[in-house]
Amino acid sequence: MTTTITGARVFDGERLSDHTAVRLTDGCIDAVGDDTLRRPGDEHVDARGGTLLPGLIDAHVHLLPGAPRQALTFGVTTVLDMFSKPDTVREALTRAAGPDCADVRSSSVGATAPGGHPSMMYAPFPYVTGPQDAERFVAGRVAEGAAHLKVLYDDGIGGPMPMPSLDVPTIAALAEAAHRAGLVVAAHVSTARAAVDLLPTGVDVLAHVPFDALSPPQADAIAAAGVAVISTLSVADGFPGGSLLDEPALVPRLGPAWRTVLERQAQRWLPPQLPDFAVARANARLLHDAGVPLLAGTDAPNPGTVHGATLHRELGHLVAAGLAPAAALTAATARPADAFGLADRGRIRSGLRADLVLVDGRPDEDIAATQRLTAVWKQGVRADPAGYVGSADEEAGLAALRAQTEKVIAAVRDHLGAPATVVGGGVGGWV
């Protein structure tokens, strides 16, 4: 089928272009131009009043069953998984080949020390004990279908409990082995010190903006190393101060079951000392101003976040941090495509994948307009916005989230004697 979209404002992934029409054929963008692209027999979409964007990319998720289908509902056409068990990854990769799910790129199991983060959520899984394990570990992940490597450098400082962590020489060995295998390396860090520690190791991406204050020299060092940073500012939505439920354009697409999950998560036990998310936002602005590529990522399904929907909140957080709306859009399109070597997407150009999102309004001027979704195409096929809610995919995802939550509650209770309702109370709970 050939589809021609006319009358649109076209944001090409980096800027608003002069084009007003895009023609889609055989899953790819056939041409970009004006209304003369339309041919007899084309399916025609009149996009007047709307803006056409590249399909959105969430650069940091953790898979649940059915999550790629939920993500596509909200215009997220590619998800980059940063730690999931192999069976979940296999299912997602199989489903991603179809038209009703976002495309998936996964790390499969991440590299962490025995008993290290995120054991309480995912154990058992293979651990790394030192540099001598690097080649074996990377080969195992490639065999599981990994497209990038996740490494974790976190001793639990700032979180609910101390934990073992990989050391810098081990991460350097993992990065070297991953690069030989053609994999991008994304490193979990939560502090400014940890971010700077890893710059000599050759990691390509830091999987979080640090949650303590970066200094300008530290931001400059990250920029000089050519390392991109995934924002994950939306973890704030799991704490008082803002919620997906505050977004009337998104709430109807969530469906009643996920609305109930968010309502219950908002009532969970929290520690007396909450993280200061203004620090993370200030770090995002500092990194952006230093020239560091920022990649929009949500860390879904952490408390307060939902696959697909939360990426729109993430864009709002980036703008609140000081980025221009157009820069925030680039952080969810062209920048993650560049950082993870996805040369076939992230921009609206002839020959690239026909992954597109049409929204009502001007999101390059008012970022909230991304929430007013009009249509979503994955490889030229228009998505069904109502297909996920009430489906077996939704039921399976909710069941998996319940099981994972119960596992975390039990682990925290055993270690701290915390109330049985604790869920994700500190920085160490974020993957």
Side-chain angles (χ1 to χ4, degrees):
M1 176 184 294
T2 296
T3 300
T4 301
I5 305 160
T6 65
R9 301 170 75 252
V10 177
F11 183 85
D12 67 7
E14 296 178 279
R15 62 187 62 83
L16 190 70
S17 75
D18 295 330
H19 302 300
T20 61
V22 179
R23 192 166 191 260
L24 319 178
T25 302
D26 296 330
C28 292
I29 298 171
D30 177 59
V32 181
D34 59 24
D35 290 7
T36 62
L37 293 178
R38 185 180 175 189
R39 299 285 184 272
D42 288 1
E43 178 184 17
H44 177 229
V45 176
D46 184 348
R48 282 177 293 181
T51 301
L52 196 63
L53 308 170
L56 302 177
I57 301 172
D58 189 335
H60 191 138
V61 307
H62 302 281
L63 295 170
L64 292 172
R69 188 176 183 190
Q70 185 180 33
L72 192 65
T73 298
F74 292 94
V76 176
T77 57
T78 301
V79 296
L80 304 181
D81 172 48
M82 291 292 161
F83 196 126
S84 293
K85 298 291 281 290
D87 55 346
T88 303
V89 174
R90 281 193 297 270
E91 178 190 10
L93 292 176
T94 299
R95 290 290 305 279
D100 63 343
C101 293
D103 196 26
V104 176
R105 296 289 186 275
S106 178
S107 68
S108 191
V109 172
T112 193
H117 184 55
S119 292
M120 70 169 64
M121 284 167 270
Y122 292 112
F125 55 81
Y127 289 116
V128 175
T129 62
Q132 72 281 357
D133 293 342
E135 290 285 353
R136 172 194 55 78
F137 186 86
V138 170
R141 308 296 73 75
V142 170
E144 291 165 356
H148 50 268
L149 180 72
K150 176 77 173 291
V151 299
L152 292 106
Y153 184 57
D154 191 340
D155 59 9
I157 293 175
M161 65 189 74
M163 63 188 79
S165 176
L166 298 176
D167 58 23
V168 171
T170 300
I171 290 177
L174 285 161
E176 184 178 351
H179 288 156
R180 283 196 295 270
L183 304 184
V184 170
V185 181
H188 166 97
V189 297
S190 58
T191 66
R193 175 193 59 78
V196 174
D197 281 352
L198 294 192
L199 297 183
T201 67
V203 300
D204 304 293
V205 178
L206 299 177
H208 299 280
V209 166
F211 297 100
D212 62 348
L214 279 165
S215 69
Q218 288 173 324
D220 290 340
I222 294 169
V227 173
V229 178
I230 305 173
S231 50
T232 66
L233 299 177
S234 292
V235 293
D237 292 350
F239 295 82
S243 167
L244 264 176
L245 297 176
D246 300 331
E247 309 293 350
L250 296 177
V251 167
R253 290 191 182 222
L254 287 173
W258 276 97
R259 291 198 296 269
T260 298
V261 168
L262 292 173
E263 290 164 357
R264 288 176 176 169
Q265 288 175 340
Q267 302 302 315
R268 76 191 193 283
W269 179 88
L270 292 170
Q273 186 66 36
L274 298 180
D276 183 357
F277 293 104
V279 174
R281 290 192 295 272
N283 286 342
R285 174 62 182 268
L286 183 65
L287 290 165
H288 176 70
D289 289 349
V292 175
L294 287 182
L295 319 180
T298 63
D299 213 357
N302 270 262
T305 67
V306 175
H307 285 279
T310 292
L311 190 61
H312 298 275
R313 289 276 298 177
E314 187 70 23
L315 295 175
H317 286 305
L318 286 169
V319 171
L323 273 68
L329 293 174
T330 298
T333 55
R335 290 291 170 268
D338 291 345
F340 284 87
L342 304 177
D344 61 345
R345 69 196 74 189
R347 292 174 170 84
I348 297 180
R349 290 182 184 169
S350 179
L352 299 190
R353 283 170 61 108
D355 291 353
L356 300 168
V357 179
L358 180 62
V359 302
D360 180 21
R362 299 172 174 246
D364 52 308
E365 299 173 3
D366 173 14
I367 199 63
T370 67
Q371 301 182 19
R372 299 194 294 272
L373 293 149
T374 301
V376 178
W377 291 266
K378 181 200 172 186
Q379 290 188 288
V381 178
R382 192 162 178 168
D384 175 9
Y388 173 80
V389 173
S391 69
D393 284 327
E394 181 184 59
E395 183 178 348
L398 291 166
L401 182 65
R402 283 193 298 270
Q404 188 180 83
T405 300
E406 290 166 1
K407 188 172 184 178
V408 173
I409 290 171
V412 173
R413 184 176 59 233
D414 289 347
H415 280 278
L416 298 180
T421 52
V422 63
V423 179
V427 170
W430 306 331
V431 190

